[in-house]
Amino acid sequence: MAVQTQTTADRCRHRFPIFERLVYINSCSQGALSDHVRASYDRFLDDWHTHGSPWDIWGGLVEDGRAAFGRLINAEPPSVAVTPSVSVAVSSLASGLDFEQRPNVVISDFEFPTVGQIWHAQERRGASVRVVPADGNRIPLERFDEAIDERTGIVSITAVCYRNGARNDVEEIVRIAHERGAHVLLDAYQAIGTYPIDVQALDVDFLVAGTLKYLLGSSGLGFLYCRPSLTELIQPTVTGWLADSDIGAMDHTRYSPSPTATRFEGGAPAVPSVYAAIAGIELVEEIGIADTRAHVASLTETLIDGVTELGGDVATPRELERRGALVCVPSTDAPGLVSALAAKGIVTSTRDGQLRVSPHAYNNDEDITTLLAALELHRDLLARP
């Protein structure tokens, strides 16, 4: 008798009670709630109730969270800042850059709004933002080559586009930027937890990400990696008391930022989110990021093939190496399609006039089959190629 191989979903799906009620395929909006993360919130409440003001415990957990994120990206803890969000992290970084000698900021058409908006806000401080245009679901490398010049200070790119699932060629963009003396910020929010990311191998100067998507935590927490050799060259003006070189001094008469990446931090951390972040990262590590990548790649391949067979279009690149963990399907009425699927117990989202489906390690073949069956019933809402 043949022994059936246990899939990645088989190993972890029971940890996510939502699948008892719904088909949840919306991880790029919010990771599904696990038993481990839910229990972490109970631990937070117990610690608060038991100790009253256990800032020694909470401070230690912030350091644990810093170290956990560092493990994910192959970075030492002192090079990681713990922030309330990616928006705050990028704002703090941007506030510390000097645009006098290198005013040009290069971003791409694939960026999440907050990142682009923050860089455009720096135009009041002398920055000049250049947007590299896309060609459908790809951005030709030569367009970055044309946009990045000797007056470019920073190139800010996303790893995976939130509205079509396309991956940027990070390694080559970094190479071009560094050849011209520019730094690179990688927004890994739509990618972290879905495939291995190594800041040393990618050679990026900065990386930001948060915990509420594929890292299976909750909102209220982001991380910023800064290359150690650059840290003390940047003087953020978006700051707070935890960014000081000597927090215990409680000195309000000076500005003395920390020599580590904590100089990008601010006020008191979102402690409940730290509990959840650690629990989520622990679960992601237990499941295995490489296994998650292979498993999700198979699911998205089935989905893309199925939508194509239904006569629908797919905005996401079909080549595995060019796509992340989400698939976007153009629709004649994306909000209507999302609502129709929700009525059948299938949770998805919409971006840019498209249905966005974002599976994770806990999704299985049956989830995709159920989704495709529902899409067949609503073929009139699928845009044609």
Side-chain angles (χ1 to χ4, degrees):
M1 183 176 180
V3 177
Q4 291 187 338
T5 302
Q6 190 179 48
T7 69
T8 300
D10 292 334
R11 291 192 288 108
C12 69
R13 190 176 173 94
H14 66 283
R15 307 290 298 274
F16 300 87
I18 195 169
F19 290 102
E20 298 170 7
R21 303 177 291 107
L22 300 169
V23 174
Y24 190 83
I25 328 178
N26 194 30
S27 299
C28 199
S29 293
Q30 171 70 63
L33 176 62
S34 68
D35 54 4
H36 195 42
V37 170
R38 188 178 190 108
S40 75
Y41 270 98
D42 289 336
R43 288 194 298 276
F44 161 69
L45 293 173
D46 287 343
D47 287 342
W48 188 10
H49 174 73
T50 300
H51 304 287
S53 180
W55 281 103
D56 55 339
I57 295 174
W58 292 343
L61 284 171
V62 170
E63 296 310 311
D64 290 344
R66 190 190 315 279
F69 186 77
R71 287 197 308 271
L72 286 181
I73 62 171
N74 190 25
E76 293 299 318
S79 65
V80 175
V82 181
T83 67
S85 66
V86 163
S87 297
V88 172
V90 178
S91 292
S92 181
L93 171 63
S95 77
L97 298 181
D98 183 350
F99 298 105
E100 184 175 354
Q101 299 299 319
R102 286 180 169 265
N104 295 340
V105 176
V106 173
I107 67 173
S108 83
D109 251 345
F110 285 172
E111 304 316 304
F112 191 77
T114 193
V115 176
Q117 291 162 6
I118 289 169
W119 291 120
H120 281 292
Q122 303 311 306
E123 291 177 325
R124 300 184 66 181
R125 300 180 52 237
S128 176
V129 180
R130 299 177 176 180
V131 182
V132 180
D135 184 1
N137 62 15
R138 64 187 294 268
I139 303 178
L141 198 60
E142 55 266 27
R143 294 187 179 174
F144 282 101
D145 194 31
E146 294 166 358
I148 302 169
D149 60 20
E150 311 308 327
R151 285 173 58 77
T152 300
I154 191 163
V155 178
S156 182
I157 54 171
T158 186
V160 174
C161 179
Y162 76 102
R163 65 177 189 272
N164 63 23
R167 289 176 63 171
N168 269 317
D169 190 346
V170 175
E171 293 90 339
E172 284 302 301
I173 296 169
V174 170
R175 179 187 61 78
I176 294 170
H178 284 175
E179 283 179 353
R180 288 155 203 186
H183 300 311
V184 178
L185 165 65
L186 180 65
D187 174 8
Y189 214 149
Q190 327 297 330
I192 192 79
T194 68
Y195 61 81
I197 293 177
D198 184 328
V199 293
Q200 310 302 327
L202 292 173
D203 200 27
V204 294
D205 302 290
F206 313 100
L207 179 146
V208 289
T211 58
L212 68 86
K213 300 177 186 287
Y214 300 104
L215 292 186
L216 306 178
S218 57
S219 61
L221 205 69
F223 294 98
L224 165 66
Y225 159 79
C226 177
R227 186 190 295 274
S229 61
L230 297 177
T231 305
E232 295 196 65
L233 301 178
I234 303 169
Q235 303 282 320
T237 56
V238 173
T239 188
W241 72 290
L242 292 183
D244 196 73
S245 59
D246 184 2
I247 299 171
M250 302 294 285
D251 191 343
H252 66 282
T253 66
R254 56 165 173 74
Y255 170 59
S256 178
S258 166
T260 72
T262 58
R263 68 173 48 205
F264 299 105
E265 296 182 7
V271 174
S273 298
V274 175
Y275 278 76
I278 294 170
I281 290 173
E282 287 174 347
L283 193 48
V284 165
E285 291 177 317
E286 179 185 326
I287 296 167
I289 293 177
D291 286 348
T292 295
R293 171 61 171 163
H295 177 72
V296 172
S298 176
L299 297 179
T300 53
E301 188 76 26
T302 300
L303 175 58
I304 290 170
D305 289 345
V307 170
T308 302
E309 289 174 9
L310 291 174
D313 195 10
V314 176
T316 304
R318 293 172 185 258
E319 305 93 328
L320 175 59
E321 67 278 5
R322 288 192 54 231
R323 71 174 190 262
L326 62 97
V327 173
C328 289
V329 180
S331 172
T332 57
D333 179 7
L337 182 54
V338 169
S339 294
L341 294 174
K344 295 182 178 299
I346 304 169
V347 182
T348 58
S349 58
T350 176
R351 290 292 185 275
D352 200 27
Q354 303 168 129
L355 169 71
R356 187 173 73 175
V357 182
S358 46
H360 204 348
Y362 38 60
N363 290 110
N364 58 22
D365 291 332
E366 186 178 348
D367 291 338
I368 303 302
T369 300
T370 300
L371 171 62
L372 288 170
L375 290 177
E376 185 171 15
L377 295 175
H378 297 282
R379 294 172 73 156
D380 58 312
L381 297 180
L382 296 178
R384 304 300 166 181

